[in-house]
Amino acid sequence: MVSVQLFVVDAFTAVPFTGNPAAVCLLDSDRDRAVDAAWMQDLAAEMNHSETAFVDLSTLERTGEIGLRWFTPTVEVDICGHATLASAHVLLEEGLTSAPLAFRTASGVLRADRAGRDAIALDFPIDVPVAGLPDGYFADEFADALGASVIAVARCRHDVLVEVSAAAEVRELEPDLAVLRAATGRGVIVTAAADDGIDDADFVSRFFAPAVGIDEDPVTGSAHCCLAPYWSEKLGKPSLVGAQLSRRGGTVGVEVAGDRVLLRGNAVTISRGELAV
């Protein structure tokens, strides 16, 4: 294999060493013929970020679209917001293409464009939550696992959404990951309305996905495809800001637009280099 570029980018933040780090690997499938899904999974495990994005530039000139896949340290996933933001940031910052961008993914075509001087906006499919739980699960199980007062539980396309009574409860969660690991779907979103101590945010969240190798994700763009319609309906406005209260922390601007959700955020390149193997 010839030289393959590899970046680490902190997404949904403008401050280095906060937000959600993603590895971004730039490939050309016409050139890098040794690359397959097993190799991608091995590299993602080596990087050990919540997601590693693999960006395939081989189709850009022919179709105007860029191939994009995402792997956690243990599995390939169908959608990822922060690693998409990181990928768009790398392509634009390195001058490899210009905005707007179209990524061909397992979740269809996802678009990215500049949003102001520094931010990037992602166009993702909406994920409207449905009240209730998957068969065989009960709200009390989640209340016990989270150690929090559960107000509502809903099913999203990929995750379970749990609303609790206060932002302080979200911040202080120490969940039983073994129970959450058994929950149907990719992960569990825990959320509450923001309080006065969180500047500019309308709601807060944390995201746990031990079933796919991520005990807690620092900032989860795709979860906001479900959080956006949930809080938009509750608060009566289409544009909101979510604060994810992980240890690293980060913010996601959201706007409900029909059957799509726009996710806005900043990103910071932490490192750039080449794979030696």
Side-chain angles (χ1 to χ4, degrees):
M1 190 190 319
V2 297
S3 173
V4 172
Q5 291 181 285
L6 186 67
F7 300 78
V8 174
V9 175
D10 287 343
F12 291 115
T13 182
V15 180
F17 312 125
T18 64
N20 200 351
V24 178
C25 184
L26 301 184
L27 300 170
D28 184 328
S29 62
D30 292 342
R31 179 196 68 189
D32 302 319
R33 300 187 184 278
V35 169
D36 58 14
W39 183 90
M40 294 180 188
Q41 187 64 75
D42 286 344
L43 180 59
E46 182 79 8
M47 298 307 297
N48 201 34
H49 294 303
S50 54
E51 267 87 10
T52 295
F54 294 88
V55 179
D56 183 358
L57 295 167
S58 65
T59 60
L60 180 58
E61 288 189 9
R62 295 195 301 270
T63 68
E65 295 175 352
I66 302 161
L68 181 60
R69 296 171 72 172
W70 313 276
F71 288 76
T72 78
T74 60
V75 297
E76 184 173 8
V77 293
D78 288 338
I79 195 166
C80 178
H82 86 280
T84 304
L85 177 63
S87 299
H89 170 78
V90 166
L91 292 174
L92 295 173
E93 186 176 65
E94 297 297 312
L96 297 172
T97 187
S98 57
L101 310 179
F103 292 106
R104 172 63 62 179
T105 79
S107 293
V109 176
L110 305 178
R111 302 187 186 279
D113 203 352
R114 295 191 183 277
R117 191 179 71 176
D118 298 318
I120 291 172
L122 306 177
D123 182 341
F124 270 44
I126 200 168
D127 187 3
V128 179
V130 178
L133 276 168
D135 291 343
Y137 292 88
F138 303 94
D140 287 348
E141 291 181 84
F142 285 94
D144 291 343
L146 296 171
S149 304
V150 173
I151 292 176
V153 183
R155 302 186 306 278
C156 307
R157 185 180 301 114
H158 303 286
D159 309 304
V160 174
L161 184 151
V162 182
E163 184 185 354
V164 299
S165 61
E169 286 196 295
V170 176
R171 186 182 292 106
E172 294 162 8
L173 287 174
E174 295 182 8
D176 184 336
L177 295 175
V179 175
L180 301 189
R181 186 176 290 111
T184 295
R186 178 184 63 168
V188 178
I189 308 164
V190 186
T191 187
D195 58 31
D196 292 338
I198 305 170
D199 292 342
D200 301 325
D202 298 286
F203 61 89
V204 301
S205 67
R206 288 173 68 188
F207 182 80
F208 306 95
V212 296
I214 306 167
D215 286 351
E216 181 172 4
D217 195 38
V219 192
T220 315
S222 60
H224 284 74
C225 295
C226 182
L227 287 161
Y230 184 81
W231 285 107
S232 178
E233 181 177 3
K234 286 181 73 79
L235 300 179
K237 55 182 183 178
S239 297
L240 308 100
V241 174
Q244 199 152 327
L245 302 183
S246 65
R247 181 183 61 83
R248 291 175 62 98
T251 58
V252 184
V254 299
E255 181 179 347
V256 175
D259 63 352
R260 310 294 291 181
V261 173
L262 301 181
L263 309 173
R264 294 184 304 276
N266 297 81
V268 183
T269 299
I270 300 300
S271 67
R272 54 171 60 83
E274 296 179 354
L275 284 175
V277 295

